Amino acid sequence: MDLGIKGKRALVAASSKGLGLGCARALAEAGCDLIMNARGEEALEAAAQAIRDDFGVEVTTVACDVTTEDGRAKLLAAAGKVDILVTNAGGPPPGMWQDWSRDDFIKALDANMLTPIALMQAALPGMIERGWGRVVNITSQSVKSPIAVLGLSNSARTGLTGFVAGTARQVAEHGVNINNLLPGIHATDRADSLDTGMAEKEGITLEEARAKRTATIPAKRYGTAEEFGQTCAFMCSQHAGYMIGQNILLDGGSLNYTL
Ligand code: NAP
C-alpha cells in the first residue's frame, strides 16, 4: 500500500535498535527521510547505513541522550523541519513500589513523559503552520493494564497518555494527528533484559522465562520490531488522517478485554 508520505521528514528518537528501529525502517520503506537518534554511535551509524542502502532515503544521525535538554536541543537543531515525530526512549528499570525514591520517579518521568512532551512542544508548531503532521508516541501496554514490577513505567507513561489525550484534540483541526502505540512484549533487547530479570528472580533459565511468558500470550509468540514498525508507519500515513488521540495496543491479545 502507498502510505502517501514519500518525501516527508521523520524524526525517530531512540532508534538504533528494537521498536524505534522498526519504526524508522518502516517509515524509510514508505519513502520518508529520517533523523535517527541513540546514545551509542556505532550501532546508530550501522542502522542508518543499512537504511540508506536498503531504501535509498536520506538519514541524518544524532548520537545523544534524548532524555536530556542538551541532547534534545542537538537532535532538534539537526532535524530542522519535522513532518513526522516518533517519540521513544529506554524504559525504566523494574523494581517494587516500596523501593523507588523521588529521584527514581524523576528519571522515569524525564525519560518516558517529559521527553516526549518536550519533543512534541518543539515539533507541533511547525506541523500546525504547515497544516500537516503525525506524532506517534511509543508507550506500553502498561497504560491500559499495570505491570507490577514496572511501576515507574506505569506512572510516567500514564502521565504522557493524559497529555496526549488533551493535546491531540487541540491540534487535530490543523491536520496534525497525535496517537500512542502501545507495545506488549516484543522480541528486543528490552524483552531480553526483562526476561533475564524474571529468570534470576525465579531461579529458572532465560529460555524457561521466555516460554513461561509466551504461554500467557494468545498469539503464542513475541511481537516483532518489523510488524510494530509497519503499524507505526500506517499511523503516520495519509490513510490515518481521522485517527486522533488513540492508544493502539499491539500485544498478541495479552490483555483480556472486550473493549
Ligand atoms: P531496546 O531494544 O532496548 O532499544 C532501545 C533503543 O533506544 C536503542 O536504540 C537505544 O540505543 C535507544 N535509547 C535508549 N535510551 C536512550 C536515550 N536515553 N537516548 C537516546 N536513545 C536511547 O528497547 P525496545 O524494546 O525497542 O523498547 C522501546 C521502548 O518501548 C522502551 O521505552 C520500552 O520500555 C518500551 N516497551 C518495550 C516493550 C518490549 O517488549 N520490547 C514492551 C513495552 C514497552 P542506546 O542504548 O545506544 O541509546
Side-chain angles (χ1 to χ4, degrees), residues 143-161:
V143 300
K144 283 192 182 273
S145 175
I147 301 171
V149 295
L150 290 178
L152 292 172
S153 170
N154 301 339
S155 309
R157 297 188 201 275
T158 306
L160 172 63
T161 305

Side-chain angles (χ1 to χ4, degrees), residues 3 12-13 21 30 71 73 88 97 114 137 139 176 199:
L3 297 183
V12 187
L21 177 57
N88 187 29
W97 61 271
L114 300 176
N137 300 291
T139 66
V176 178

Side-chain angles (χ1 to χ4, degrees), residues 229-253:
Q230 292 296 339
T231 305
C232 174
F234 175 77
M235 291 166 74
C236 297
S237 75
Q238 299 294 356
H239 311 299
Y242 208 47
M243 185 190 289
I244 306 291
Q246 298 303 298
N247 290 280
I248 306 299
L249 179 64
L250 285 184
D251 71 339

Side-chain angles (χ1 to χ4, degrees), residues 29 59-60 63 70 76 78 80 95 131 133-134 141-142 156 160 170 189 210-211 213 227-228 232 234 236-237:
E29 191 181 353
V59 185
T60 304
D70 281 357
L76 289 162
R134 298 284 185 268
Q141 70 175 24
S142 71
L160 172 63
Q170 294 172 62
D189 289 357
R210 280 193 193 121
R213 200 193 291 276
E227 61 197 344
F228 187 89
C232 174
F234 175 77
C236 297
S237 75

Side-chain angles (χ1 to χ4, degrees), residues 155-220:
S155 309
R157 297 188 201 275
T158 306
L160 172 63
T161 305
F163 175 85
V164 167
T167 307
R169 289 164 174 90
Q170 294 172 62
V171 301
E173 66 181 297
H174 304 288
V176 178
N177 302 8
I178 314 178
N179 294 288
N180 302 320
L181 187 50
L182 284 52
I185 198 77
H186 281 69
T188 66
D189 289 357
R190 170 75 171 170
D192 282 348
S193 104
L194 291 174
D195 286 342
T196 301
M198 179 174 158
E200 280 165 8
K201 199 168 154 218
E202 298 188 14
I204 56 177
T205 65
L206 180 58
E207 285 64 36
E208 286 167 337
R210 280 193 193 121
K212 202 171 161 184
R213 200 193 291 276
T214 302
T216 68
I217 306 169
K220 300 299 174 214

Side-chain angles (χ1 to χ4, degrees), residues 14-20 37-40 64-67 88-92 112 138-141 157 183-186 188-191:
S15 54
S16 67
K17 296 177 188 167
L19 304 180
N37 149 260
R39 292 162 303 179
C64 66
D65 184 341
V66 73
T67 68
N88 187 29
N112 300 119
I138 299 179
T139 66
S140 170
Q141 70 175 24
R157 297 188 201 275
I185 198 77
H186 281 69
T188 66
D189 289 357
R190 170 75 171 170

